Amino acid sequence: MTAVPAAAAPAATTAPLAWTACPEGPGVDPRQQCATLRVPLDHADPGGGTIDMAVSRVPSERRAARRGSLLLIPGGPGGSSLNDPSGKGQKLPQEVRDAYDLIGFAPRGIAPSTAADCGLDPADLAPSVTRPWPAPDGSIDGNLATAARMAAACARNGGELVEHLSTVDEVRDLDLLRAALGERRISAWGVSYGTYVGAVYHELFPHRTDRIVLDSNDDPDPERVARAWLAGHEQGVEDVFPDFAAWASRPGPYRVARTAAEVRPLFLELAARLDREPIPWPGANPAELNGNVLRQTMLDSLYAPARYPVLAELMNAARRGTVPPAPAAPPEEVLQNVTAVAASTICNDVAWPRTAAAYQEDVAESRVKYPLTAGMPRGAMPCAAWPYPPKRAPVRITDRGPSNVLLIQNERDVATPLAGAHRLRAALGRRAVMVTVNSTGHDAYLANGNACGDAAVSRFLATGERPAGDTYCP
């Protein structure tokens, strides 16, 4: 593997985009325009095959105040920001909407861009399966079997595209998009996995960046990459669960215990009971409420306080030996697409261990230290059996380059915990300033009603002014 320095990336000469009206759909602003950018399938062979990348924009609302384009970089891997110019982009304050064309896109592999699909068994699309929850006794044999099955399906059905889904491939696509937009430098608002994409872009193309906002920040560990993100759930759950416990002990329809201190042992007891005695759950995937389904529901519900009722309702039903209606799931076509892109990206970014021994000891240690997550964050993903070695070394984020990055981070975030954000902040050094917000949930800017944090980011995007140093917003 070889690193990819910025100097290896020649300036793009991409043709301008041909903007047309977007397909009508729920929530699509009539001002939103759409275009297609053709990019190389393999950036190492730019004269070879190409794939399509779907792009959208809502133009600046006051052309005299326009500064440039603001890329809305989605989370994931597997997320899309194609409709974000119509959605969360419209939450931006007027002075920011005046300053920028808001740019969304579906990253390579995500429909309606040229789409990836591994043809996975529908049972392997269940959230409690795609995350490597160990068996009740701590065995990871089932996780390794799932990894082998999913990796084989991607190799069999995914074609060349799954070999060229990676963070660096997405970043190179974004630089071609920058050129097609006619921008010498580009601004960005990256969220969750989008913070890693934004940081890698800033590392490879530092002097093509203008104002960069990284929101809900991934650990940039170049030795582990997505393995570090998965492991971060241990601390993320510990950071957020007390907030859920306090909420779930208040009087009301979702109360699960009389005191906050009772909620954690109750959850652990329920999960252990469901490990032993699952409850049939017709219409769900899997068609039973077992301990790992409860644990996965816990993880999903801790993403935002607005989701707490889902976990509370399931806990109360399980105590009665019943289940609520089966949760709604996206169409299988969407799940196949997103899962293929997510698996391919995390496996192509960095090599994962290949042997059971490399995981088993870590999983056992995690189960003792972090019983709420039962060892899952150190488990084996499809990367344990991925048939394609990474084509390059992961990008190491450094403090070299322009000082034009603002990080914003919730104090309690289950998916991108504060500890990982601190590691990205340390890696960026003088290039960045960080705003920490006393809020709970995943996503910080314009997501929690914290006027201090929101104002800091809005001011930076509109004027370029950042706090003089790292800041805490109570």
Side-chain angles (χ1 to χ4, degrees):
M1 295 185 294
T2 56
V4 187
T13 57
T14 307
L17 294 163
W19 295 104
T20 62
C22 290
E24 294 183 3
V28 177
D29 191 304
R31 297 172 299 166
Q32 182 168 297
Q33 303 167 330
C34 287
T36 300
L37 176 67
R38 188 153 290 176
V39 299
L41 170 65
D42 181 356
H43 283 281
D45 181 20
T50 61
I51 56 176
D52 288 342
M53 177 180 173
V55 183
S56 64
R57 76 172 177 184
V58 169
S60 158
E61 295 182 24
R62 191 161 70 91
R63 304 305 285 178
R66 184 185 181 278
R67 179 179 179 83
S69 295
L70 179 68
L71 279 178
L72 306 177
I73 307 179
S80 170
S81 65
L82 197 60
N83 283 332
D84 282 358
S86 294
K88 74 175 191 177
Q90 296 308 305
K91 298 179 182 179
L92 290 162
Q94 188 66 52
E95 60 268 28
V96 177
R97 301 200 311 274
D98 289 345
Y100 299 98
D101 296 344
L102 305 180
I103 308 297
F105 62 99
R108 60 168 53 211
I110 291 292
S113 298
T114 302
D117 189 327
C118 288
L120 300 171
D121 187 312
D124 287 337
L125 298 173
S128 59
V129 176
T130 56
R131 297 292 180 100
W133 296 100
D137 65 357
S139 169
I140 63 167
D141 291 348
N143 305 132
L144 291 169
T146 298
R149 191 168 58 246
M150 293 178 70
C154 287
R156 184 171 60 250
N157 304 319
E160 281 188 274
L161 182 55
V162 300
E163 300 183 54
H164 298 285
L165 297 172
S166 74
T167 300
V168 169
D169 284 311
E170 180 174 335
V171 162
R172 292 203 176 285
D173 291 345
L174 292 182
D175 197 55
L176 294 179
L177 174 57
R178 174 203 56 77
L181 291 168
E183 303 288 4
R184 185 173 64 87
R185 296 189 301 163
I186 197 140
S187 296
W189 172 17
V191 179
S192 192
Y193 167 67
T195 64
Y196 183 64
V197 175
V200 171
Y201 187 93
H202 196 268
E203 192 69 32
L204 296 186
F205 304 106
H207 299 293
R208 297 178 193 170
T209 62
D210 188 10
R211 297 169 183 168
I212 305 298
V213 173
L214 304 181
D215 175 350
S216 306
N217 296 276
D218 270 325
D219 184 338
D221 183 343
E223 304 299 325
R224 299 189 299 163
V225 194
R227 286 190 71 205
W229 309 340
L230 186 67
H233 286 92
E234 293 172 335
Q235 189 59 52
V237 167
E238 292 295 335
D239 290 346
V240 178
F241 196 89
D243 192 76
F244 168 74
W247 175 89
S249 60
R250 296 170 188 162
Y254 297 109
R255 191 179 198 182
V256 302
R258 295 185 62 183
T259 69
E262 295 174 285
V263 177
R264 181 186 180 102
L266 172 61
F267 175 86
L268 293 171
E269 189 278 327
L270 279 173
R273 183 197 306 173
L274 291 168
D275 283 337
R276 299 187 301 270
E277 301 171 3
I279 302 171
W281 202 355
N285 184 15
E288 65 176 25
L289 173 55
N290 58 41
N292 284 339
V293 170
L294 180 67
R295 296 180 183 100
Q296 181 63 44
T297 303
M298 177 267 296
L299 184 63
D300 292 339
S301 297
L302 297 188
Y303 268 66
R307 301 187 191 181
Y308 290 174
V310 176
L311 176 57
E313 184 180 26
L314 190 59
M315 289 176 66
N316 283 329
R319 294 171 75 184
R320 297 189 300 266
T322 63
V323 290
E332 183 179 326
E333 180 181 9
V334 173
L335 287 175
Q336 290 280 7
N337 182 207
V338 169
T339 305
V341 172
S344 300
T345 303
I346 67 172
C347 298
N348 290 332
D349 271 359
V350 68
W352 289 51
R354 310 284 293 187
T355 66
Y359 296 98
Q360 189 67 73
E361 184 176 345
D362 268 359
V363 168
E365 179 183 57
S366 179
R367 286 168 65 83
V368 173
K369 289 185 175 181
Y370 303 95
L372 288 170
T373 45
M376 182 279 293
R378 303 195 203 179
M381 298 290 279
C383 315
W386 197 245
Y388 311 110
K391 298 180 184 300
R392 59 188 70 84
V395 174
R396 181 178 294 274
I397 305 303
T398 72
D399 61 358
R400 297 187 297 275
S403 182
N404 59 353
V405 181
L406 178 63
L407 280 65
I408 184 167
Q409 177 70 35
N410 286 340
E411 201 165 13
R412 296 167 298 281
D413 182 334
V414 71
T416 54
L418 183 59
H422 281 154
R423 284 189 276 274
L424 179 58
R425 170 68 187 90
L428 288 167
R430 53 163 291 278
R431 295 162 73 184
V433 170
M434 181 164 159
V435 175
T436 303
V437 179
N438 180 14
S439 292
T440 300
H442 189 50
D443 296 359
Y445 179 44
L446 303 179
N448 301 290
N450 186 289
C452 165
D454 291 349
V457 177
S458 297
R459 187 182 309 113
F460 173 60
L461 288 173
T463 71
E465 179 186 347
R466 294 183 305 184
D470 292 352
T471 302
Y472 182 77
C473 285

